[in-house]
Amino acid sequence: MHPQPDPAPPSAPPPAPAAMEVPLPAPGTMGPPAEYGRLRRECPVARVRLPVDADGWFVTRYDDVRALLADDRLTRPEITEWPVRPGQAPWDGPGLATMMELEGERHTALRKAIAEPFSARSIRARRPRMRRLADGVLDAFEQGGSPGDLVTGFAEPFPLLVACDLTGIPYDEADRFLEPADSALGAMMTLEQGREATGVLRGYLSELIGRKRREPADDVLTDLVRRCDTGELTEEDVICFGLSVLVAGYRTSTMFIADAALALLTRPDRLAALRADRSLLPSAVEELLRFLPVMNANVLLLATEDIEVAGRPVRAGEAVLPAIASANRDPEVFPDADDLVLGRDPNPHLAFGRGTHNCVGSHLARAELEIALEALLDRFPELTLAAGPGDLPWEDDSPAKSPLSLPVAW
């Protein structure tokens, strides 16, 4: 009788790959990085080195990204609190929490408080007012003469006007909050700069809350302050909402408008189709939201317990980066994924996230982009680029990709 072989040991998890750099778009482009396609095919969960001196798991396939965005075992850390290194005292400065970082009852209460003004019904009712704001900005832009810079002349002031008009943040005080808000937006790349910006933004918002108490108005901030005074919310919740608007809300819309204009101006057939048939605008907006990888920095999440992603074990405390820009170009979900198909249907893109932290401003963002494109088409039926696409200036060190200026003629 032959001896029986020892039972095979249980299969070990695959060895952790060496960390690579986070893929970035080629200089002078909005992306997405060419590396995304290879990662989806060959290494859908890749270890990457993060700009904040830590490693994380970079996830690129649509199904995995979609699942992670709604996984309650993952949380988003405040940029001022992570990563904590051995022997390092926890950050004791003021926090920079937006609604993306809030969890539990505080998150639920704040979303409930702003649900009505940001609802599809309320945003639909505001569309005529938003169109008037767009036309007013374009009046000034047109008076400046052709050619003009579409970024500084329209893509930046229009969403800021809309956000301020709705929330009650004074538009004429932009010089007090725009620079620190932009610093905070890039804080994954420059953590210390983000911490420095925090105090400025929080100080401004605290002062503004005091003014809303003394001089109430018909705006979202005034309503939140009332809820704060009745105990429904805390003042920290109101500051969190203000940070969400200034850091994540308005600036992302400016970049979407600039990138959308560039995408259409460099594809004359798509632009001609929109000029000829405005009924394409809603589906075109959805396709632009899928196609434009505005925030190539991706969402950064922390695992609160051991999980598995596409067969790869992820330990509690490790960082996970679901790459939305890669998921939205996954050919397994989107035929002709690298092409701009204005009438794409269905279009289950993930531009606004998913789950409890899906973007509360998604209806506002869609309306802004649609109204911006419609107003531009109406005002400038012969709009063209006044510079070669390769000559446009980009801030290539920023994780948020859009042209710094967009010269156009009409």
Side-chain angles (χ1 to χ4, degrees), residues 40 60-66 287 290 324 326-338 344-350:
R40 283 193 302 265
T60 47
R61 289 180 182 168
Y62 179 92
D63 288 345
D64 298 326
V65 170
R66 185 176 185 276
E287 176 66 348
R290 179 198 73 85
I324 292 174
S326 174
N328 282 344
R329 296 289 189 98
D330 191 334
E332 296 298 317
V333 178
F334 304 99
D336 301 314
D338 291 326
R344 186 182 295 276
D345 185 29
N347 193 346
H349 65 76
L350 300 172

Side-chain angles (χ1 to χ4, degrees), residues 127 130-131 134-135 138 150 154-155 158-159 162 253 256-258 260-261 264 281 285 365-380 383:
R127 286 178 68 101
M130 292 167 66
R131 177 58 193 262
D135 287 336
L138 289 177
L150 196 64
F154 182 63
F158 169 58
V162 170
S253 294
F256 263 118
I257 290 171
L264 292 170
L281 269 172
V285 164
R366 285 181 166 103
E368 282 180 347
L369 185 50
E370 186 173 335
I371 289 168
L373 292 177
E374 184 178 52
L376 281 170
L377 291 170
D378 288 347
R379 182 66 62 102
F380 304 120
L383 193 69

Side-chain angles (χ1 to χ4, degrees), residues 239-258:
I239 290 175
C240 175
F241 169 77
L243 290 171
S244 300
V245 173
L246 297 179
V247 176
Y250 119 83
R251 180 55 82 184
T252 305
S253 294
T254 73
M255 293 184 292
F256 263 118
I257 290 171

Side-chain angles (χ1 to χ4, degrees), residues 14-371:
M20 58 181 282
E21 297 294 334
V22 174
L24 295 174
T29 72
M30 70 179 76
E35 187 74 356
Y36 283 179
R38 185 191 69 79
L39 290 175
R40 283 193 302 265
R41 294 188 303 271
E42 301 174 11
C43 188
V45 184
R47 181 174 285 279
V48 293
R49 288 182 291 273
L50 303 179
V52 289
D53 192 24
D55 287 353
W57 296 104
F58 195 74
V59 183
T60 47
R61 289 180 182 168
Y62 179 92
D63 288 345
D64 298 326
V65 170
R66 185 176 185 276
L68 289 170
L69 291 174
D71 194 326
D72 59 10
R73 298 171 298 175
L74 297 165
T75 62
R76 183 167 174 171
E78 289 189 31
I79 61 167
T80 50
E81 296 181 341
W82 186 87
V84 176
R85 298 174 185 84
Q88 174 185 323
W91 169 248
D92 60 359
L96 184 60
T98 68
M99 292 184 67
M100 285 296 294
E101 289 82 41
L102 282 189
E103 300 287 349
E105 293 181 0
R106 284 187 61 200
H107 180 252
T108 301
L110 185 52
R111 285 189 73 104
K112 180 180 178 182
I114 63 173
E116 173 55 26
F118 284 90
S119 69
R121 184 189 64 81
S122 293
I123 298 303
R124 187 163 52 248
R126 295 186 72 88
R127 286 178 68 101
R129 183 175 179 85
M130 292 167 66
R131 177 58 193 262
R132 289 193 296 273
L133 291 173
D135 287 336
V137 175
L138 289 177
D139 286 343
F141 180 56
E142 185 175 20
Q143 289 168 10
S146 175
D149 179 8
L150 196 64
V151 172
T152 58
F154 182 63
E156 289 183 342
F158 169 58
L160 184 58
L161 270 172
V162 170
C164 290
D165 185 59
L166 173 62
T167 64
I169 297 172
Y171 179 81
D172 58 4
E173 295 179 0
D175 60 336
R176 296 186 58 186
F177 57 75
L178 281 190
E179 185 175 347
D182 284 346
S183 296
L185 183 64
M188 252 196 74
M189 298 293 285
T190 55
L191 183 58
E192 293 306 320
Q193 189 179 20
R195 287 177 172 176
E196 291 171 7
T198 297
V200 176
L201 289 173
R202 291 177 60 90
Y204 172 75
L205 289 167
S206 294
E207 177 193 322
L208 184 57
I209 288 170
R211 278 189 271 161
K212 294 296 180 182
R213 283 197 176 99
R214 295 189 299 271
E215 303 170 10
D218 183 18
D219 55 48
V220 174
L221 269 179
T222 297
D223 180 62
L224 295 184
V225 170
R226 288 195 191 102
R227 294 171 186 263
C228 177
D229 293 342
T230 62
E232 183 179 342
L233 299 174
T234 67
E235 187 159 319
E236 189 65 27
D237 295 332
V238 185
I239 290 175
C240 175
F241 169 77
L243 290 171
S244 300
V245 173
L246 297 179
V247 176
Y250 119 83
R251 180 55 82 184
T252 305
S253 294
T254 73
M255 293 184 292
F256 263 118
I257 290 171
D259 282 350
L262 178 59
L264 292 170
L265 288 167
T266 53
R267 293 168 177 79
D269 57 332
R270 312 308 200 275
L271 188 56
L274 282 180
R275 285 185 179 127
D277 184 2
R278 301 303 173 78
S279 69
L280 278 173
L281 269 172
S283 65
V285 164
E286 295 304 315
E287 176 66 348
L288 286 162
L289 288 166
R290 179 198 73 85
F291 184 78
L292 300 175
V294 167
M295 291 300 292
N296 282 294
N298 307 291
V299 176
L300 190 149
L301 305 172
L302 292 184
T304 59
E305 60 184 82
D306 293 350
I307 62 173
E308 186 175 287
V309 181
R312 168 69 59 188
V314 175
R315 305 304 181 196
E318 291 187 323
V320 180
L321 286 80
I324 292 174
S326 174
N328 282 344
R329 296 289 189 98
D330 191 334
E332 296 298 317
V333 178
F334 304 99
D336 301 314
D338 291 326
D339 195 11
L340 183 66
V341 182
L342 298 185
R344 186 182 295 276
D345 185 29
N347 193 346
H349 65 76
L350 300 172
F352 293 118
R354 187 169 170 266
T356 57
H357 283 87
N358 68 302
C359 177
V360 72
S362 61
H363 300 301
L364 178 63
R366 285 181 166 103
E368 282 180 347
L369 185 50
E370 186 173 335
I371 289 168

